Amino acid sequence: MASPLTIAFADDHPLLLRGIMNLFEDDPAYSVVGKADCANTALDLVRRHVPDVVVMDLSMPGDIFQTISEMAAQFPTRIVIFTAYSSIDAALKALEAGAVGFVLKDSDSEELFDAVSTVSAGEMYITKQYALQVMNGLRERAKRDSSKGKVRLSPRERQIARLLAEARTNREIAEALQISERTVKSYMSALMAKLKARNRVEVAMAAREYVELESDEPQEYPLTLRR
């Protein structure tokens, strides 16, 4: 029998937080390891428990987007945003910071479970209202400062870019390619500079454009779009 997926929650609305936690605590497939009510305590929570998934609100006190960036850079935890912020810009900013899921609070509980399951499998999940707009926005932002076709990636850089597009962490990329995490970080720095990308999401999206240019075969990347 598979071990339950560990999950944590961060939201500053106590009643909503308790209700969501109850839903996951009642499901034997999940083990709830803790809760937080602001950006700082959310980061401390992930640092302590390193859960498989953390479900976070965007409207908590503190610098939420900086917290997302730090979590994504330091831990293998998958970050799902669960928010009432019905804004494409908010979704883009959260995903660019390192989140791999975005779900609106007016969605039903089934969609939140679906999002958690999807990101834990290494895919990206975008709430159904925003899926196409968000992915188009990510593509445009990723190539906005790049000169398409003028940058060529080495075979190793393409390998890392493809794994990054699958929402792999540095540790998982290192294991897949049998190299050290320090080497992965060095390649990431080089890719960010070469592709003029500001973060991991922009590296993945910009690299996709170049990989497609250099290959006759279309590249497939896992993304769950809900309609």
Side-chain angles (χ1 to χ4, degrees):
M1 185 175 178
S3 299
L5 196 75
T6 57
I7 187 167
F9 297 89
D11 198 303
D12 64 343
H13 295 87
L15 290 178
L16 178 62
L17 180 60
R18 184 68 261 169
I20 298 169
M21 290 178 64
N22 285 342
L23 288 174
F24 282 84
E25 286 172 342
D26 289 341
D27 190 326
Y30 299 93
S31 173
V32 177
V33 297
K35 63 180 180 178
D37 60 4
C38 70
N40 288 339
T41 56
L43 185 58
D44 288 342
L45 175 64
V46 170
R47 185 177 289 116
R48 274 199 317 275
H49 298 286
V50 193
D52 296 311
V53 178
V54 59
V55 177
M56 295 179 61
D57 188 18
L58 287 181
S59 60
M60 296 184 295
D63 190 336
I64 300 300
F65 297 108
Q66 179 61 32
T67 297
I68 294 170
S69 294
E70 291 184 33
M71 283 183 184
Q74 297 176 33
F75 307 103
T77 299
R78 313 292 193 190
I79 304 166
V80 174
I81 301 304
F82 186 54
T83 183
Y85 259 132
S86 55
S87 160
I88 298 293
D89 285 340
L92 288 171
K93 191 172 180 181
L95 293 167
E96 287 179 337
V100 291
F102 188 91
V103 181
L104 294 177
K105 283 185 175 177
D106 62 2
S107 306
D108 57 33
S109 60
E110 183 179 348
E111 184 171 4
L112 182 56
F113 274 95
D114 201 7
V116 170
S117 175
T118 297
V119 303
S120 69
E123 299 182 23
M124 183 181 286
Y125 187 104
I126 311 297
T127 200
K128 56 188 177 183
Q129 293 98 316
Y130 290 167
L132 293 179
Q133 299 99 308
V134 167
M135 290 312 298
N136 287 336
L138 285 173
R139 270 193 202 94
E140 288 304 312
R141 289 191 180 194
K143 63 186 181 182
R144 180 178 52 204
D145 297 323
S146 300
S147 298
K148 189 174 181 181
K150 293 184 179 179
V151 175
R152 296 185 68 84
L153 304 182
S154 70
R156 178 66 86 191
E157 287 171 338
R158 285 199 295 272
Q159 287 178 322
I160 290 174
R162 289 187 180 113
L163 291 170
L164 186 62
E166 297 173 4
R168 303 287 190 94
T169 64
N170 286 351
R171 182 180 303 170
E172 290 168 337
I173 292 172
E175 290 173 354
L177 300 179
Q178 297 185 326
I179 58 179
S180 70
E181 282 190 67
R182 179 173 294 180
T183 300
V184 173
K185 290 178 181 177
S186 295
Y187 273 109
M188 282 293 302
S189 297
L191 281 167
M192 289 179 72
K194 185 179 285 191
L195 299 174
K196 299 179 182 178
R198 295 170 295 176
N199 51 54
R200 294 171 67 89
V201 171
E202 287 193 0
V203 169
M205 299 304 295
R208 176 178 179 176
E209 301 292 332
Y210 298 115
V211 170
E212 288 178 343
L213 283 174
E214 295 176 356
S215 173
D216 293 329
E217 297 297 324
Q219 303 296 321
E220 296 297 330
Y221 295 90
L223 169 67
T224 300
L225 304 182
R226 299 305 182 204
R227 297 180 181 277

